[in-house]
Amino acid sequence: MSRIRKLIPGVDSKLLIRDAAKVAPDPTRRLFLRGGASVGALAFLTGCDIVDSLSAENALRAMSRFNDRAQMWLFNPNKLAPTYPDSAITRPFPFNAYYALEDAPEIDAADYKLEVGGLIANDKPWTLDELYALPQETQITRHICVEGWSAIGKWTGVRLSEFLKRLGADTRAQYVWFQCAEGYSTTIDMATALHPQTQLTFKFDDQILPRAYGFPMKCRMPTKLGFKNPKYIIGMHVTNKDLGGYWENQGYNWHSGV
Ligand SMILES: Nc1nc2c(c(=O)[nH]1)N[C@H]1C(S)=C(S)[C@@H](COP(=O)(O)O)O[C@H]1N2
Ligand SMILES: [Mo]
């Protein structure tokens, strides 16, 4: 208990667990009560449910009650997220944003420049051709939206850790902040930024990233909820200040339709 109390300042851990257990799926709840309803058990079971069963929605409802720090802990930045075969890819893959698809940014590839700043040595902006020349890899992972759906997709791009290296970023800094073309933004912790599956993504399902999914570039991180995966990225900052984000500033973790 002392561990979670440290992780979530100001939140009563017993209440938190009772609340979470209320919306947890039945076997989870049973194990939970039998096992002394520890936060560790909740984290473990929630993680399993998301990956292994159809109860992802229930687990998500439980998870949505956790604040950022608890999420950081549930999605272990030191572990690899599960990967899937091609046959598991969700088709069509859902589009999601705080607006309709026809209002999504339309970015001209020729004009595009990624602005980089903050605690980095090289702050020269990057063209798309320069970005495309970086070493790339592909992942098939599950995207989990706090609104209660998940989908498996295939994303190709460069590891964010590799890109940060090229920027000469101070990776002892606490955060990376992303700015998106339409005003969206999000901040991620450095451990997540350096995670091997955190990727600056240029392709979806082997095609140049479609407009729906963030052309020309998104940041894919399977260890974080969907809203932490910014699309239409135009700027990136390495910083020790938590600059928040579109949903973060509205207390998004406490708003999930529960
Ligand atoms: N720029 C931008 N990025 C964004 C969003 C957005 O509205 N604008 N929505 C977030 C949310 S809540 C989700 S679930 C995912 C959806 O990504 P998808 O359209 O590839 O499914 O994008 C995330 N990144
Ligand atoms: Mo989302």
Side-chain angles (χ1 to χ4, degrees), residues 96 145-146 226-227 252:
N96 197 34
C145 175
V146 74
F227 78 92
Y252 191 80

Side-chain angles (χ1 to χ4, degrees), residues 195-211:
H195 187 281
Q197 287 169 309
T198 297
Q199 179 192 82
L200 286 180
T201 301
F202 309 121
K203 284 185 175 173
F204 181 81
D205 209 0
D206 303 324
Q207 307 297 317
I208 290 292
L209 198 63
R211 177 176 163 219

Side-chain angles (χ1 to χ4, degrees), residues 168-181:
D170 180 355
T171 51
R172 292 165 309 177
Q174 290 185 70
Y175 305 107
V176 178
W177 176 73
F178 294 97
Q179 185 186 18
C180 307

Side-chain angles (χ1 to χ4, degrees), residues 138-160:
T138 295
Q139 61 170 278
I140 302 177
T141 51
R142 186 183 293 273
H143 171 111
I144 302 166
C145 175
V146 74
E147 288 163 8
W149 57 272
S150 81
I152 293 172
K154 184 180 189 179
W155 292 274
T156 301
V158 62
R159 285 187 190 202
L160 181 57

Side-chain angles (χ1 to χ4, degrees), residues 13-256:
S13 60
K14 282 215 183 82
L15 273 179
L16 186 101
I17 287 167
R18 216 185 303 142
D19 251 359
K22 251 188 261 164
V23 294
D26 258 2
T28 309
R29 186 159 36 197
R30 273 201 308 278
L31 268 168
F32 219 58
L33 298 172
R34 209 171 62 206
S38 77
V39 172
L42 175 66
F44 177 71
L45 291 165
T46 306
C48 281
D49 277 327
I50 289 165
V51 176
D52 298 329
S53 79
L54 293 171
S55 54
E57 285 200 13
N58 285 323
L60 282 163
R61 291 175 66 199
M63 271 173 31
S64 67
R65 292 172 182 272
F66 285 76
N67 70 13
D68 269 336
R69 308 198 78 165
Q71 277 176 26
M72 229 169 85
W73 181 56
L74 290 172
F75 293 104
N76 188 338
N78 304 312
K79 271 199 196 147
L80 288 182
T83 57
Y84 300 86
D86 255 89
S87 59
I89 295 171
T90 306
R91 295 193 168 97
F93 192 85
F95 160 83
N96 197 34
Y98 63 94
Y99 44 75
L101 178 53
E102 57 265 30
D103 297 324
E106 266 180 282
I107 293 176
D108 184 349
D111 292 347
Y112 177 80
K113 282 235 165 85
L114 173 70
E115 301 287 339
V116 289
L119 302 168
I120 60 175
N122 321 310
D123 60 5
K124 157 192 96 59
W126 289 65
T127 65
L128 208 45
D129 283 343
E130 288 166 340
L131 290 165
Y132 284 164
L134 293 165
Q136 296 185 34
E137 49 191 45
T138 295
Q139 61 170 278
I140 302 177
T141 51
R142 186 183 293 273
H143 171 111
I144 302 166
C145 175
V146 74
E147 288 163 8
W149 57 272
S150 81
I152 293 172
K154 184 180 189 179
W155 292 274
T156 301
V158 62
R159 285 187 190 202
L160 181 57
S161 64
E162 176 64 32
F163 187 63
L164 289 173
K165 214 184 279 171
R166 312 244 170 166
L167 298 182
D170 180 355
T171 51
R172 292 165 309 177
Q174 290 185 70
Y175 305 107
V176 178
W177 176 73
F178 294 97
Q179 185 186 18
C180 307
E182 85 286 46
Y184 194 86
S185 59
T186 192
T187 301
I188 64 167
D189 58 282
M190 187 58 79
T192 300
L194 299 177
H195 187 281
Q197 287 169 309
T198 297
Q199 179 192 82
L200 286 180
T201 301
F202 309 121
K203 284 185 175 173
F204 181 81
D205 209 0
D206 303 324
Q207 307 297 317
I208 290 292
L209 198 63
R211 177 176 163 219
Y213 307 134
F215 181 82
M217 189 175 82
K218 69 172 276 171
C219 188
R220 172 68 193 137
M221 51 197 100
T223 55
K224 285 281 180 232
L225 291 171
F227 78 92
K228 288 283 191 189
N229 289 230
K231 307 193 285 185
Y232 321 105
I233 298 172
I234 54 168
M236 197 194 292
H237 249 74
V238 176
T239 165
N240 277 315
K241 234 171 99 184
D242 184 354
L243 297 169
Y246 182 84
W247 290 117
E248 289 89 339
N249 298 351
Q250 302 177 46
Y252 191 80
N253 294 326
W254 304 94
H255 152 77
S256 62

